[in-house]
Amino acid sequence: MQSPSRVAHIAIIACFSLLFITKGVNTIVSKNGLSNYSFPDKFMFGVATAAFQIEGAWNEDGKGESMWDTYLHKHPNFTVDHTNGDLAADSYHKYKQDIIMIKSLGVKYYRMSMSWPRILPNGTDHYINKAGVRHYRKVLLELIEAKITPVVTLYHWDLPTALMDLGGWTNPKMVDYFEDYARVVFSLFGDIVKIWTSINELHVHCYNGYDLNNFVPAMKSHGVGFYLCSHYMLLGHARVYHLYDKEFRPKQKGKIGVTLDAFYAEPKDSNNKEDVDAAERYLQMHLGLYAHPIYSKEGDYPALVRERIDTMSKIQGYPRSRLPVFTPEEVDLIRGTSDFFGLNHYTTILASPSSMEPGWSVPSLDHDTGVKSDQDPKWPIPGADWLAVYPPGLRKLVNWITRNYGTRVPIIVTENGVSDFGGLNDYVRVSYYNKYLYQLLLAMHEDGCRVDGYFAWTLMDDFEWSDGYSIKFGLFHVDFNSTEKKRTPKLSALNYREIMRTRRINFNYIK
């Protein structure tokens, strides 16, 4: 095994060697091809990961089982390559190497998550796993020593199995359990962590895990469990925000927000009003459902969402709306509960109206939304079939958020990246980051949108949920077949490092 310092030395040599051979372009000294706008010096640049996707050590040092552990052990064929997260990238043991990798990129922020069952093995706060606490304190202190600011997500989908057995996020008691867990984490790590996100991608988690069976818990509670999950996650987030704001912020002086997600919806025909309406409806049903209660002046679910689900529930014979109702007190509780707008964005869809499509269930979010999603055949799809590359979608989405919720709260792009099927010379990923980041610059400099940060997904190849290890998002390649889970920088890591150095984009780096 090589020492961490030698790994860093090799990585840096590799970086500067490749910089000079990439398509014959000297990107360090050439001014040609540089973006006409630059990122401010205070702009937050970082990389993002999630505990379950990289840590491994699924049952070591007193860690409890997460619902993903339990489900994948019982259903080994759930992932496309029949893998699980038992070992992943082994970051539980190799976190020092990971921090060297982060530092080599030149970024100053690292978005990570904590494993709920590693800290509270039974889900509840009656027993705290000291070994898990020691591990995360070591990681956080190493980051601070490396002058990297940790941005910590409390919940990135690895719910303790004991709580999933109670119905997970369809159970209103989850709000209490989540607050209890957050109190433990704030108490133990708030002296180090100054930027928190409560929950990662409420929409993806509830849609794929509760409405469909694409992700664990694979509940398939179409159009019912999805809205319960969304409702109680919003309440859980709000409770945790107020907990931090009242009990911890006065002394710890940190910030806390939430991470939402959205594809952008482009009308399939921008001259067709029905398509324009369908695109707006898609955005309201998939993003506004979560953003409006938190960021709008009036709070609560968007009127379009409320009316549509209420009406469809009535037509379908339900005695009450499938979308739960917030009390006036709960509306006030949720409104304004984020210090920033955390946004995960990967791709865009072409929207047109539809009353029914193959694969839709009745009821379901898809049927309630009534939008057919297509992809433009001109948009490249380098990896996962859902991720088509359309850089202007990020600029348009940031503008949509700004129009709807203003600039009082800054947007931080907490995830953005592209998948492929592997390889160190990942030209597609270099191009993706260059073009998406440039669209972000345009949104900031030409449109007046307030964007304070950007996190690339992801630091290294990892366990990508139901896709297992079949697709790659990493800036660093991980050899999952090696005992050491060897990490190697890809071309995209070198390009991202150059963006950090110059605060600009060099389009001559790779066309």
Side-chain angles (χ1 to χ4, degrees):
M1 177 179 175
Q2 297 173 357
S3 69
S5 60
R6 178 162 174 76
V7 171
H9 181 67
I10 292 171
I12 291 170
I13 292 174
C15 285
F16 285 99
S17 298
L18 277 174
L19 280 172
F20 285 99
I21 64 173
T22 305
K23 293 203 169 184
V25 177
N26 185 335
T27 59
I28 293 179
V29 300
S30 174
K31 296 293 184 181
N32 296 329
L34 286 176
S35 60
N36 51 334
Y37 296 117
S38 62
F39 291 97
D41 290 340
K42 292 184 178 180
F43 191 83
M44 300 167 58
F45 267 118
V47 287
T49 63
F52 187 81
Q53 294 179 265
I54 65 168
E55 281 185 355
W58 76 277
N59 62 351
E60 291 188 38
D61 294 340
K63 177 185 172 294
E65 286 194 27
S66 78
M67 65 179 183
W68 277 88
D69 294 318
T70 303
Y71 194 89
L72 294 183
H73 292 155
K74 289 182 178 178
H75 306 279
N77 296 334
F78 183 76
T79 54
V80 297
D81 54 2
H82 306 166
T83 59
N84 56 43
D86 288 4
L87 298 176
D90 196 24
S91 285
Y92 184 75
H93 299 108
K94 301 184 184 304
Y95 66 89
K96 290 187 177 182
Q97 292 185 32
D98 297 345
I99 294 172
I100 290 170
M101 287 153 49
I102 298 166
K103 192 171 182 178
S104 76
L105 293 172
V107 301
K108 300 300 182 184
Y109 295 86
Y110 178 45
R111 180 174 172 244
M112 54 177 279
S113 74
M114 290 187 175
S115 167
W116 188 336
R118 196 177 294 283
I119 295 172
L120 303 180
N122 304 305
T124 54
D125 63 350
H126 72 282
Y127 171 72
I128 299 172
N129 179 30
K130 293 181 180 179
V133 173
R134 285 195 297 271
H135 169 74
Y136 285 121
R137 282 201 71 86
K138 287 189 294 185
V139 172
L140 294 169
L141 289 172
E142 288 275 352
L143 287 166
I144 297 300
E145 178 69 20
K147 295 181 170 54
I148 298 165
T149 300
V151 179
V152 176
T153 301
L154 293 172
Y155 179 68
H156 199 129
W157 307 353
D158 49 353
L159 190 69
T161 297
L163 299 184
M164 190 61 238
D165 289 343
L166 299 178
W169 286 98
T170 63
N171 186 338
K173 288 299 293 180
M174 273 300 303
V175 176
D176 296 328
Y177 295 136
F178 185 50
E179 184 179 23
D180 294 341
Y181 162 59
R183 180 177 282 106
V184 170
V185 174
F186 293 151
S187 299
L188 292 170
F189 307 110
D191 60 321
I192 305 174
V193 179
K194 302 304 176 185
I195 308 175
W196 301 93
T197 64
S198 58
I199 300 173
N200 179 76
E201 294 186 355
L202 293 72
H203 159 255
V204 168
H205 186 56
C206 295
Y207 176 58
N208 283 295
Y210 290 80
D211 200 68
L212 306 176
N213 65 340
N214 294 335
F215 289 176
V216 177
M219 188 173 283
K220 293 186 72 173
S221 180
H222 305 294
V224 178
F226 167 76
Y227 294 117
L228 292 173
C229 173
S230 302
H231 193 77
Y232 296 126
M233 273 194 156
L234 282 165
L235 286 170
H237 156 74
R239 285 266 291 272
V240 165
Y241 176 90
H242 288 293
L243 169 70
Y244 185 80
D245 192 49
K246 294 176 181 177
E247 296 186 23
F248 294 95
R249 194 198 301 266
K251 182 176 180 180
Q252 296 178 357
K253 309 297 184 184
K255 296 180 179 181
I256 183 168
V258 66
T259 292
L260 305 182
D261 67 275
F263 296 172
Y264 184 66
E266 184 99 322
K268 192 167 187 178
D269 179 355
S270 60
N271 296 314
N272 184 328
K273 185 180 184 303
E274 289 187 350
D275 288 1
V276 173
D277 291 344
E280 177 65 18
R281 186 163 68 250
Y282 181 94
L283 287 166
Q284 290 291 351
M285 294 288 290
H286 288 260
L287 177 57
L289 177 73
Y290 306 93
H292 200 272
I294 298 171
Y295 298 105
S296 70
K297 292 180 180 179
E298 62 272 21
D300 210 342
Y301 293 119
L304 180 153
V305 173
R306 177 86 268 169
E307 181 181 359
R308 189 168 181 87
I309 301 172
D310 288 358
T311 300
M312 295 188 77
S313 298
K314 185 176 181 179
I315 292 171
Q316 292 160 354
Y318 286 86
R320 64 189 67 87
S321 177
R322 289 178 282 106
L323 178 64
V325 176
F326 290 124
T327 66
E329 293 76 17
E330 289 171 338
V331 170
D332 290 340
L333 180 78
I334 298 170
R335 186 174 54 234
T337 54
S338 193
D339 298 330
F340 51 85
F341 194 117
L343 174 66
N344 291 359
H345 171 75
Y346 291 90
T347 189
T348 294
I349 60 107
L350 294 177
S352 57
S354 177
S355 59
M356 194 67 192
E357 292 293 317
W360 288 4
S361 297
V362 181
S364 65
L365 173 63
D366 290 327
H367 185 258
D368 289 341
T369 304
V371 173
K372 181 182 180 182
S373 300
D374 289 311
Q375 294 168 328
D376 191 316
K378 296 189 295 293
W379 298 346
I381 303 176
D385 59 7
W386 57 268
L387 205 169
V389 178
Y390 179 65
L394 177 56
R395 179 184 184 181
K396 294 178 180 182
L397 181 59
V398 167
N399 272 273
W400 187 90
I401 292 168
T402 302
R403 284 196 306 273
N404 279 270
Y405 308 115
T407 58
R408 181 185 62 83
V409 177
I411 296 169
I412 299 175
V413 178
T414 38
E415 287 181 27
N416 178 240
V418 69
S419 64
D420 61 16
F421 296 108
L424 296 181
N425 292 325
D426 54 342
Y427 300 110
V428 166
R429 186 168 290 106
V430 171
S431 175
Y432 181 97
Y433 281 128
N434 284 353
K435 291 177 180 178
Y436 272 75
L437 280 167
Y438 186 63
Q439 292 295 321
L440 204 59
L441 283 172
L442 294 177
M444 296 164 62
H445 289 276
E446 296 192 359
D447 307 334
C449 298
R450 184 182 175 189
V451 184
D452 282 6
Y454 176 93
F455 289 74
W457 182 269
T458 177
L459 173 63
M460 60 192 147
D461 295 337
D462 60 7
F463 177 80
E464 279 295 332
W465 310 110
S466 57
D467 285 316
Y469 303 96
S470 66
I471 59 172
K472 316 295 182 182
F473 275 91
L475 291 163
F476 285 77
H477 166 77
V478 176
D479 182 358
F480 292 107
N481 294 319
S482 70
T483 303
E484 296 301 320
K485 302 294 186 286
K486 182 181 177 183
R487 286 100 154 106
T488 307
K490 301 179 187 179
L491 190 62
S492 58
L494 316 184
N495 180 60
Y496 198 51
R497 175 188 175 91
E498 182 69 1
I499 295 171
M500 299 307 101
R501 190 185 71 83
T502 64
R503 316 300 281 188
R504 299 171 79 179
I505 300 160
N506 189 334
F507 288 103
N508 279 348
Y509 195 90
I510 176 79
K511 295 293 185 182

